[in-house]
Amino acid sequence: MIPFVVRRDNDLVPNPIAQGGWGPTLGGQVVGGLLARAIEHHVAQDDLQPARLTVEILRRVASAPLRVTASVVRAGSRMRAVDATMTQDGELVARGSALYLRRGVQPDGEFFTTAVTLPPLPEEPERFDESVPMFIRAYGKDDGDRFPWQYSGPRYAWIREIRDLVDGEELSPFVRAAMAVDVTASLTNFSTRGLAFINADFTLTLSRLPVGPYIGLAALTHYSDAGVATGSSSLFDALGPIGSGVSTAIANFNFDAERKYREKTATAG
């Protein structure tokens, strides 16, 4: 199956499948995944947990060769901070920052959290559709011609990456989560009229790394005013909750929600 990007000398060259739904630019999941990939190369200790990743998309990332570099900005006994940059033709187009925390003894006691229940894991098709970037099962309202998230009510998704991010490299759990959390933007910003907010940045928080190929998202909040939106989601794997996603977005009316999302989704129910 065609990967999102291939290596060419010191560059990473996107394939057409890496384009998102806003024109000939890279999808946020590819941008986030490549920044996370560069960051985790600087953290070798098994007892350090990636607890937070923030991805800032500073301009539209063209479907053209790019470079991603990362460096450690602080290393302590209980944490490590790593920054990454993505450039095209020497110009900064996106950046990421991550915080790793050292695992230790879990405190006693009961903790409160808002209860969230995802739909069960979907059945895998016998063969994945190679024309779409990922396998995603969307849950919301079954309303015939409309995409399931195009209504005012709860919505969920199970996501499974089906191709390499970089040719020949197996996806790590951290990279898989970094790619999945980008869906928070569309999951929380769909309205009854469609999707009219474009992602400006997103943050992933993790209490643990995901287990298995599937990552689930549940929409929690959407707040917007005067064309600026924030949204949040809960992230799950097959064993239970693993973290949260937060998206900030700005109004943009060039997204063909009905057509593009049907092209990007393998199944919807």
Side-chain angles (χ1 to χ4, degrees):
M1 190 172 291
I2 296 173
F4 284 113
V5 302
V6 295
R7 288 177 290 251
R8 188 176 69 192
D9 298 327
N10 293 324
D11 292 335
L12 295 171
V13 181
N15 283 314
I17 195 69
Q19 293 182 13
W22 301 95
T25 59
L26 297 196
Q29 81 275 20
V30 176
V31 175
L34 291 174
L35 289 167
R37 168 182 174 268
I39 285 170
E40 70 178 356
H41 288 167
H42 290 269
V43 185
Q45 293 95 326
D46 291 338
D47 58 347
L48 284 175
Q49 159 74 37
R52 194 254 316 147
L53 169 70
T54 297
V55 171
E56 298 176 84
I57 303 173
L58 303 175
R59 60 173 55 190
R60 294 193 177 191
V61 183
S63 184
L66 56 88
R67 294 187 180 186
V68 184
T69 60
S71 61
V72 177
V73 296
R74 183 183 174 190
S77 61
R78 302 183 67 187
M79 57 84 69
R80 177 169 293 192
V82 186
D83 286 354
T85 59
M86 178 179 290
T87 59
Q88 287 184 318
D89 293 326
E91 293 189 6
L92 182 65
V93 294
R95 62 189 177 192
S97 65
L99 178 67
Y100 282 71
L101 300 177
R102 193 169 299 281
R103 299 182 184 91
V105 177
Q106 173 68 9
D108 293 332
E110 297 181 2
F111 301 91
F112 171 78
T113 188
T114 302
V116 177
T117 302
L118 254 70
L121 282 170
E123 292 186 11
E124 287 196 359
E126 293 184 4
R127 183 184 181 89
F128 289 114
D129 184 352
E130 296 190 20
S131 69
V132 296
M134 68 187 76
F135 174 85
I136 177 170
R137 174 65 63 89
Y139 302 84
K141 183 178 181 180
D142 186 2
D143 192 18
D145 294 334
R146 288 191 171 189
F147 188 70
W149 296 342
Q150 194 171 333
Y151 87 114
S152 181
R155 68 281 301 268
Y156 311 90
W158 280 108
I159 298 164
R160 190 194 196 288
E161 297 296 338
I162 59 176
R163 64 185 73 244
D164 293 345
L165 175 61
V166 177
D167 191 19
E169 293 183 9
E170 183 178 355
L171 290 178
S172 72
F174 180 43
V175 170
R176 193 179 294 277
M179 297 177 71
V181 73
D182 173 66
V183 176
T184 297
S186 50
L187 181 72
T188 61
N189 288 324
F190 255 99
S191 73
T192 56
R193 299 291 298 273
L195 180 61
F197 286 95
I198 186 171
N199 215 1
D201 73 9
F202 54 89
T203 294
L204 165 71
T205 66
L206 289 171
S207 60
R208 64 174 175 84
L209 288 170
V211 176
Y214 280 93
I215 293 180
L217 291 92
L220 295 182
T221 63
H222 168 94
Y223 306 122
S224 60
D225 184 73
V228 175
T230 67
S232 64
S233 66
S234 284
L235 271 66
F236 292 74
D237 63 9
L239 303 180
I242 61 172
S244 301
V246 175
S247 166
T248 63
I250 187 168
N252 188 304
F253 301 96
N254 296 324
F255 192 94
D256 187 341
E258 293 298 324
R259 180 173 64 86
K260 289 292 186 180
Y261 261 77
R262 290 186 187 282
E263 289 176 356
K264 287 182 68 176
T265 53
T267 58

